[in-house]
Amino acid sequence: MTRTAPWWRSAVIYQVYIRSFADANGDGVGDIAGIRSRLPYLKSLGVDAVWINPWYKSPMADHGYDVADYRAIDPLFGTVAEAEQLIEEAHRHGIRVIPDIVPNHTSDQHAWFRAALAAGPGSPERERYVFRSGRGPGGAEPPNDWVSCFGGPAWTRLPDGDWYLHLFAPQQPDLNWQHPEVRAEFESILRFWFSRGVDGFRIDVAHGLVKHPELPDLPPRQEPAVLGPLISRESAGDRPRSHVDHPHWDRDEVHDIYRAWRRVADEFPGDRSFVAEAWADSPERLAAYVREDGLHTAFNFDFLMSGWDAKELRTVIDDSLAMLGAVGAPATWVLSNHDVMRHPSRYGRRATKRWTANEPYRPDGPADLELGTRRARAAALLMLALPGGAYVYQGEELGLPEVEDLPEDLLQDPVWERSGHTDRGRDGCRVPLPWSGGTAPYGFSPDGASAAPWLPQPEAWGELSVAAQTADPASMLELYREALRLRREHPALGDGTLAWLDTGESVLAFRRDPGFVCVVNLSPEPCPLPAHTSVLLSSGPLADGLLPPDHAVWLAV
Ligand code: BGC
């Protein structure tokens, strides 16, 4: 054995949505002190790292994805000194820390954007962003037909007549990545945090930074610009999917930026690593982000968007492993995050098919949460047995469902307003975690907190709290703990390869060496198990030695 593989090739990374993880100061919003107080929990869960959603100074128009100062922590969350303490304490627990970085856009309150507004049309200050004159008489029409991911046009006009580009909310002006100062500034921000000990970054909208220099209209018949839960894509059945030369998504020139970022990461000791949030047309296009001189890993959203369907999942797994393997990169697997409906609620619906062309995930009637939870347990064992790394979104280990009945007047996601109240947005997967007790705030905030949690927690969440699930062998939490424990210890798990076993169309079964088999039954009938010496872990009880529908099992062979 030569050098041990770097940690990020097989890491299980826990996503901390900071607003909703743990509130130490009782203002109803999670904070850094809250994360610090829960490090023992993360240690006992058995994760290798945490990815923390943006904690920078921000007016919170998109809950931190609108950054006003990349070198400051928002007072809502804490201070830079507390962030340093967190990094140090996490490291003492053997947990690495990966903050989010948001390079596609700043806040409209960022010093650069304020200076651009003050300096007026044609000024050098405006060149760091994407300002243009409008089209049509008096320049009254936007410069092109681009559309904001949150709904409405991607351009806003200023009183001085100029328009500026924002692929997200108007409070999130897009930076001009052709500008050398923009490039230099972000390399300096990376160094600022690397020298404070962070182990890497999750790169927000990594595929969006470079725009076509002429800002042409969207290609004909191309659906409006959408991303994430709203992304436009074709179904897995239609592969190979063709790559469209898009004026602002996934342009080849973006990789220059990441080659430079890689050089910055490599200036620092230890294995610092990047994970790209890149939505690409195909696994081939995704693989371009993770070359040896580029980023280390990228989220594999194809897995997340697959329906609960053996054929679809197998296609996604095979394509991902082949394309990423060809460039020497590990796969990453993800089932949920802060932008999509939580997976017990997705899997608990009849239409669990892959999200289809140009449509966000749209629920078809109420979720059957018993079914969804059963499948979520099986999906966890599938994900954690696959070669590569995995992401666990906070609360997924508790089996939290999407909160689909938040009162409309409490919805905060800009998607709700920007869509003209047709899309409720992403608040339902961002509800504060239940830690203990039978009533809200379920230990999320301390006793005697001055404010209620920023989103209301459902009445039944006491049963799902960490305290309620701890030591209950049938709970989702103990399933995750046991799976993560076995994953750490078993030499076959983590980085590596897999070999499929022939178990028919609706059962996924694969072998990993040495001596490990995972079987997932997506058929409506119980299925027999391959020969094995023992059952290591199963997502639910076996019935007469058979694996029931919507169950998964790990076997020693
Ligand atoms: C993040 C979203 C955010 C958007 C704009 C996304 O990719 O995951 O939560 O709203 O970027 O920064």
Side-chain angles (χ1 to χ4, degrees):
M1 191 78 182
T2 45
R3 181 181 187 282
T4 16
W7 66 277
W8 45 267
R9 292 194 66 91
S10 56
V12 176
I13 300 181
Y14 185 92
Q15 180 188 350
V16 172
Y17 191 71
I18 184 167
R19 293 183 77 80
S20 303
F21 184 66
D23 164 28
N25 68 0
D27 64 357
V29 177
D31 43 41
I32 293 178
I35 305 175
R36 287 172 58 203
S37 74
R38 299 295 182 180
L39 286 170
Y41 169 75
L42 295 171
K43 172 81 183 163
S44 85
L45 181 59
V47 298
D48 302 299
V50 285
W51 148 34
I52 304 174
N53 287 97
W55 54 8
Y56 312 105
K57 189 156 193 297
S58 164
M60 304 288 165
D62 185 20
H63 286 162
Y65 282 98
D66 47 322
V67 180
D69 183 349
Y70 293 83
R71 294 182 185 81
I73 297 284
D74 196 89
L76 200 53
F77 301 140
T79 62
V80 171
E82 281 181 272
E84 287 172 334
Q85 275 171 319
L86 167 67
I87 295 163
E88 194 198 308
E89 287 165 14
H91 286 170
R92 248 187 277 136
H93 282 86
I95 296 171
R96 296 181 200 252
V97 179
I98 299 178
D100 224 306
I101 183 99
V102 188
N104 181 66
H105 42 266
T106 67
S107 159
D108 61 352
Q109 299 306 310
H110 190 281
W112 277 4
F113 195 73
R114 294 165 71 112
L117 291 189
S123 60
E125 285 83 353
R126 289 206 172 177
E127 282 166 23
R128 297 189 192 116
Y129 292 89
V130 186
F131 283 89
R132 289 291 184 282
S133 339
R135 294 198 285 206
E141 301 294 319
N144 66 26
D145 67 355
W146 298 2
V147 178
S148 154
C149 294
F150 293 159
W155 296 92
T156 288
R157 195 173 199 194
L158 296 167
D160 61 31
D162 255 9
W163 294 79
Y164 71 90
L165 176 70
H166 51 86
L167 291 179
F168 294 87
Q171 298 90 335
Q172 294 167 296
D174 278 53
L175 284 162
N176 168 18
W177 274 87
Q178 315 294 357
H179 199 302
E181 276 174 38
V182 171
R183 296 197 181 216
E185 171 65 356
F186 272 86
E187 289 174 26
S188 155
I189 293 164
L190 295 178
R191 289 193 182 94
F192 177 90
W193 288 104
F194 275 140
S195 52
R196 278 163 183 74
V198 303
D199 298 280
F201 289 91
R202 177 262 189 192
I203 306 170
D204 189 57
V205 198
H207 59 310
L209 275 47
V210 177
K211 279 79 183 175
H212 190 299
E214 282 150 31
L215 308 183
D217 278 348
L218 296 170
R221 296 195 4 257
Q222 174 76 12
E223 282 297 309
V226 282
L227 171 137
L230 316 173
I231 197 170
S232 123
R233 26 183 63 232
E234 298 157 34
S235 77
D238 300 336
R239 283 161 191 277
R241 288 172 280 159
S242 54
H243 171 62
V244 179
D245 182 24
H246 195 281
H248 62 71
W249 290 145
D250 191 26
R251 298 193 59 77
D252 290 335
E253 304 87 318
V254 83
H255 301 299
D256 282 349
I257 298 168
Y258 300 131
R259 277 191 281 272
W261 285 26
R262 177 62 176 254
R263 289 193 292 274
V264 172
D266 289 347
E267 287 166 14
F268 291 84
D271 285 313
R272 314 287 173 119
S273 121
F274 292 109
V275 56
E277 186 215 18
W279 297 80
D281 280 339
S282 63
E284 293 89 317
R285 296 291 306 178
L286 189 65
Y289 287 80
V290 291
R291 287 174 302 212
E292 214 175 313
D293 60 347
L295 303 176
H296 306 77
T297 58
F299 292 105
N300 182 354
F301 294 120
D302 278 350
F303 185 66
L304 177 152
M305 288 188 295
S306 276
W308 185 246
D309 177 278
K311 203 167 149 221
E312 268 183 37
L313 283 165
R314 182 163 167 172
T315 306
V316 165
I317 293 166
D318 280 342
D319 287 2
S320 306
L321 292 174
M323 293 306 157
L324 295 166
V327 293
T332 63
W333 309 101
V334 53
L335 291 167
S336 276
N337 65 32
H338 67 294
D339 288 331
V340 300
M341 176 179 279
R342 285 186 176 273
H343 60 274
S345 302
R346 296 200 314 266
Y347 290 152
R349 293 192 142 97
R350 242 177 332 113
T352 61
K353 282 281 166 224
R354 189 184 178 80
W355 310 353
T356 47
N358 311 323
E359 273 293 313
Y361 183 86
R362 292 232 188 268
D364 64 334
D368 172 349
L369 284 179
E370 222 177 282
L371 174 70
T373 303
R374 200 153 60 236
R375 291 175 171 171
R377 293 174 66 88
L381 293 197
L382 168 63
M383 171 172 87
L384 294 171
L386 288 171
Y391 284 82
V392 174
Y393 175 45
Q394 68 178 39
E396 138 181 2
E397 80 281 18
L398 304 176
L400 297 187
E402 183 83 0
V403 181
E404 298 187 58
D405 57 357
L406 288 169
E408 290 183 353
D409 57 328
L410 296 182
L411 295 178
Q412 304 207 10
D413 187 352
V415 168
W416 172 240
E417 286 302 326
R418 298 271 307 167
S419 70
H421 297 182
T422 57
D423 186 335
R424 294 172 59 86
R426 302 161 293 178
D427 291 321
C429 64
R430 299 173 173 182
V431 173
L433 290 194
W435 291 93
S436 58
T439 50
Y442 304 108
F444 167 71
S445 300
D447 289 344
S450 59
W454 70 280
L455 284 174
Q457 300 156 299
E459 266 175 27
W461 273 22
E463 288 162 25
L464 294 174
S465 75
V466 171
Q469 296 196 39
T470 295
D472 171 0
S475 70
M476 185 73 91
L477 178 56
E478 293 303 339
L479 179 75
Y480 268 81
R481 280 201 176 121
E482 185 58 8
L484 291 171
R485 188 187 68 74
L486 284 166
R487 186 182 153 105
R488 273 195 312 279
E489 288 175 2
H490 203 295
L493 294 178
D495 199 15
T497 54
L498 62 70
W500 293 104
L501 306 182
D502 185 11
T503 40
E505 272 233 316
S506 311
V507 176
L508 292 175
F510 55 87
R511 183 184 166 104
R512 302 205 54 195
D513 284 327
F516 177 94
V517 163
C518 173
V519 185
V520 190
N521 185 1
L522 295 102
S523 81
E525 305 296 331
C527 75
L529 295 177
H532 56 277
T533 49
S534 64
V535 171
L536 297 171
L537 183 61
S538 73
S539 68
L542 302 182
D544 299 326
L546 299 177
L547 185 64
D550 300 316
H551 278 65
V553 67
W554 288 2
L555 303 172
V557 297

